[in-house]
Amino acid sequence: RRTSAMNSIVLQAKNVHQKQTNRDRLRSLNLHLRAGEIVGVAGVEGSGQSALVDVLLGLSEFEGSLEILGEPVSKGKTK
């Protein structure tokens, strides 16, 4: 049986889009992860795995919305 804490969303991405030099690295990514879930990311080279990690770590600028533990994440690198 899951508790309400286990059902809480810890990461939510809505329509996340990340572009690099005229090329989409992520396009319209929608994702939510709940506490206790384990997720893997796989794909062929160039399909956006590194772009996803860069966005989640705040290393790349992006469009859309991203929340971790209910708090908005900034749109990317500070200059």
Side-chain angles (χ1 to χ4, degrees):
R1 184 177 137 187
R2 288 185 159 209
T3 65
S4 62
M6 290 294 288
N7 287 325
S8 63
I9 294 175
V10 295
L11 185 144
Q12 183 163 307
K14 293 181 182 176
N15 202 30
V16 172
H17 184 87
Q18 201 263 346
K19 199 175 231 185
Q20 179 182 21
T21 321
N22 298 331
R23 186 173 152 254
D24 291 333
R25 292 183 70 203
L26 293 175
R27 183 177 46 222
S28 300
L29 173 73
N30 291 290
L31 170 72
H32 70 269
L33 300 176
R34 297 185 186 280
E37 288 184 324
I38 298 172
V39 175
V41 178
V44 297
E45 183 178 347
S47 63
Q49 307 94 314
S50 295
L52 173 61
V53 173
D54 288 350
V55 166
L56 293 177
L57 294 176
L59 300 175
S60 292
E61 296 176 351
F62 66 94
E63 296 176 14
S65 69
L66 179 62
E67 293 181 1
I68 298 178
L69 298 174
E71 296 293 322
V73 174
S74 76
K75 297 289 184 176
K77 300 186 280 191
T78 56
K79 301 199 184 236

